Amino acid sequence: YEQTDWHQRKEDEFAKDMAELFNFHMTDDTRKGVLIAPPKVLGTVREHLHPDARSRLIAEIDKDYAGRSALELAELLDKHGD
Protein backbone atom coordinates (compact mmCIF):
# COMPACT_ATOMS: atom_id res chain seq x y z
CA TYR A 1 0.00 0.00 0.00
CA GLU A 2 1.05 3.59 -0.50
CA GLN A 3 1.89 5.76 2.49
CA THR A 4 0.41 9.26 2.52
CA ASP A 5 2.16 12.29 4.01
CA TRP A 6 -0.89 14.10 5.40
CA HIS A 7 1.12 17.09 6.54
CA GLN A 8 2.52 17.57 3.04
CA ARG A 9 -0.91 17.12 1.50
CA LYS A 10 -2.35 19.84 3.76
CA GLU A 11 0.58 22.15 3.00
CA ASP A 12 0.04 21.67 -0.75
CA GLU A 13 -3.70 22.37 -0.39
CA PHE A 14 -2.92 25.53 1.57
CA ALA A 15 -0.47 26.71 -1.11
CA LYS A 16 -3.03 26.06 -3.85
CA ASP A 17 -5.69 27.97 -1.89
CA MET A 18 -3.28 30.90 -1.47
CA ALA A 19 -2.59 30.92 -5.21
CA GLU A 20 -6.32 30.99 -5.94
CA LEU A 21 -6.79 33.84 -3.48
CA PHE A 22 -3.91 35.75 -5.06
CA ASN A 23 -5.38 35.11 -8.53
CA PHE A 24 -8.74 36.45 -7.36
CA HIS A 25 -7.26 39.64 -5.89
CA MET A 26 -5.01 40.33 -8.87
CA THR A 27 -7.85 40.65 -11.40
CA ASP A 28 -7.64 44.46 -11.12
CA ASP A 29 -4.99 45.80 -13.53
CA THR A 30 -3.84 48.40 -11.01
CA ARG A 31 -2.93 45.89 -8.30
CA LYS A 32 0.56 44.61 -7.61
CA GLY A 33 1.54 41.90 -5.16
CA VAL A 34 4.37 40.29 -3.25
CA LEU A 35 4.55 36.59 -2.43
CA ILE A 36 6.39 35.55 0.72
CA ALA A 37 6.64 31.87 1.62
CA PRO A 38 9.16 29.16 2.35
CA PRO A 39 10.82 27.96 -0.88
CA LYS A 40 8.85 24.72 -1.21
CA VAL A 41 5.50 26.42 -0.59
CA LEU A 42 6.39 29.26 -2.95
CA GLY A 43 7.08 26.72 -5.69
CA THR A 44 3.66 25.15 -5.21
CA VAL A 45 1.97 28.56 -5.24
CA ARG A 46 3.77 29.43 -8.51
CA GLU A 47 2.38 26.28 -10.15
CA HIS A 48 -1.18 27.52 -9.57
CA LEU A 49 -0.79 31.21 -10.44
CA HIS A 50 -2.69 32.54 -13.43
CA PRO A 51 -0.38 34.26 -15.97
CA ASP A 52 -2.15 37.60 -15.41
CA ALA A 53 -1.61 37.35 -11.65
CA ARG A 54 2.01 36.33 -12.17
CA SER A 55 2.58 39.43 -14.33
CA ARG A 56 1.45 41.62 -11.42
CA LEU A 57 4.06 40.26 -9.01
CA ILE A 58 6.62 42.82 -7.97
CA ALA A 59 8.60 40.43 -5.75
CA GLU A 60 8.85 36.85 -4.55
CA ILE A 61 10.61 36.26 -1.24
CA ASP A 62 11.50 32.66 -0.46
CA LYS A 63 11.73 33.00 3.31
CA ASP A 64 9.75 31.59 6.22
CA TYR A 65 8.53 34.53 8.26
CA ALA A 66 5.79 32.63 10.09
CA GLY A 67 5.40 33.46 13.75
CA ARG A 68 6.79 36.98 13.37
CA SER A 69 4.97 40.05 14.65
CA ALA A 70 3.76 42.67 12.19
CA LEU A 71 6.56 44.99 13.34
CA GLU A 72 9.23 42.31 12.86
CA LEU A 73 7.83 41.48 9.43
CA ALA A 74 7.85 45.16 8.40
CA GLU A 75 11.49 45.46 9.50
CA LEU A 76 12.49 42.29 7.64
CA LEU A 77 10.75 43.44 4.47
CA ASP A 78 12.35 46.85 4.75
CA LYS A 79 15.79 45.19 4.96
CA HIS A 80 14.90 42.97 1.99
CA GLY A 81 14.24 46.06 -0.13
CA ASP A 82 17.76 47.43 0.39
Side-chain angles (χ1 to χ4, degrees):
Y1 75 97
E2 190 175 318
Q3 186 174 357
T4 301
D5 183 342
W6 294 106
H7 178 78
Q8 186 61 52
R9 181 178 275 185
K10 283 293 187 186
E11 186 175 286
D12 292 345
E13 287 175 15
F14 175 79
K16 183 180 177 190
D17 290 346
M18 292 301 98
E20 290 173 2
L21 187 62
F22 192 85
N23 289 334
F24 175 78
H25 285 286
M26 291 297 115
T27 56
D28 181 347
D29 289 341
T30 64
R31 289 192 168 212
K32 300 291 182 190
V34 176
L35 289 177
I36 304 170
K40 190 173 181 179
V41 175
L42 189 57
T44 304
V45 170
R46 283 186 195 124
E47 291 175 16
H48 297 284
L49 285 181
H50 188 276
D52 288 340
R54 186 183 303 258
S55 72
R56 291 184 181 83
L57 278 172
I58 58 174
E60 293 181 6
I61 303 172
D62 59 348
K63 303 282 184 192
D64 186 352
Y65 290 153
R68 307 285 181 128
S69 71
L71 181 59
E72 286 177 304
L73 184 56
E75 290 171 355
L76 289 166
L77 292 175
D78 189 46
K79 288 178 186 177
H80 182 77
D82 291 340

